[in-house]
């Protein structure tokens, strides 16, 4: 995909204040960016939350991670142009996105991770895996990545694949195994590994 000069409203699947932007890749308005950051790669951020990230927000703070350099930055909701159409996300930004752990999760220093998450581009390229502490973090990682990545894989500590999604569709394990796992969680037990 060729580098764009800038992203516009036409490149967004949704704009305005009526939608939630938390957990999505957002486009910032060019006018909100510092002069030295006027290319399209500096317009793309992953929104991790904040009072301004909700639909019809009561606050204005939007917490983000830059998909150009990984820096965490707070913006105002008025700086947000909209949610980027997933197919327009450049490969370099997809690789940066794949390295973001879910927010509000266990500190890596406090728990030994049970899983690692990987996201792949269509040509097979990927960045190093992201450590995930437990099943909840693994599911949140999948949710973050599924709309933007060609392939998402979760592996256990022995690097065996326990979950795989291709083009947004689960290919491993089967739906039957997933249903049993979810039923086990509802019953308070963890009968089946992710």
């Amino acid at each position: 995909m060729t580098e764009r000069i800038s992203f516009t409203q036409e490149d967004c699947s949704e704009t305005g204040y009526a939608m939630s932007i938390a957990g999505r890749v957002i486009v910032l308005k060019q006018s909100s960016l510092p002069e030295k950051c006027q290319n399209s790669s500096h317009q793309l951020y992953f929104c991790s939350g904040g009072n301004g990230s909700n639909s019809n927000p009561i606050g204005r703070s939007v917490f983000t991670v830059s998909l150009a350099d990984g820096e965490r930055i707070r913006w105002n909701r008025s700086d947000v142009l909209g949610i980027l159409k997933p197919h327009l996300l450049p490969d370099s930004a997809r690789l940066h996105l794949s390295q973001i752990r879910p927010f509000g999760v266990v500190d890596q220093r406090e728990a030994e991770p049970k899983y690692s998450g990987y996201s792949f581009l269509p040509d097979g390229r990927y960045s190093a895996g992201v450590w995930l502490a437990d099943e909840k973090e693994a599911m949140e990682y999948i949710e973050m990545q599924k709309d933007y990545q060609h392939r998402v894989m979760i592996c256990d500590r022995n690097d065996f694949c326990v979950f795989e999604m291709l083009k947004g569709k689960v290919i491993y394990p089967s739906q039957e195994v997933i249903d049993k796992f979810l039923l086990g969680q509802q019953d308070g037990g963890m009968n089946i590994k992710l």
Side-chain angles (χ1 to χ4, degrees), residues 16-29:
Y17 289 89
M19 82 273 181
S20 171
I21 59 174
R24 308 294 296 165
V25 173
I26 59 172
V27 178
L28 293 183
K29 296 174 182 173

Side-chain angles (χ1 to χ4, degrees), residues 49-61:
N51 287 334
S53 69
N54 301 318
S55 58
N56 302 311
I58 56 170
R60 61 184 191 173
S61 294

Side-chain angles (χ1 to χ4, degrees), residues 146-172:
K146 71 178 185 178
D147 292 336
Y148 302 102
Q149 305 293 354
H150 175 73
R151 180 175 161 215
V152 178
M153 182 184 292
I154 304 295
C155 295
D156 66 13
R157 290 286 298 168
N158 295 318
D159 217 22
F160 289 109
C161 178
V162 295
F163 177 90
E164 188 171 6
M165 177 180 277
L166 184 65
K167 297 180 184 177
K169 296 202 181 343
V170 176
I171 59 174
Y172 182 81

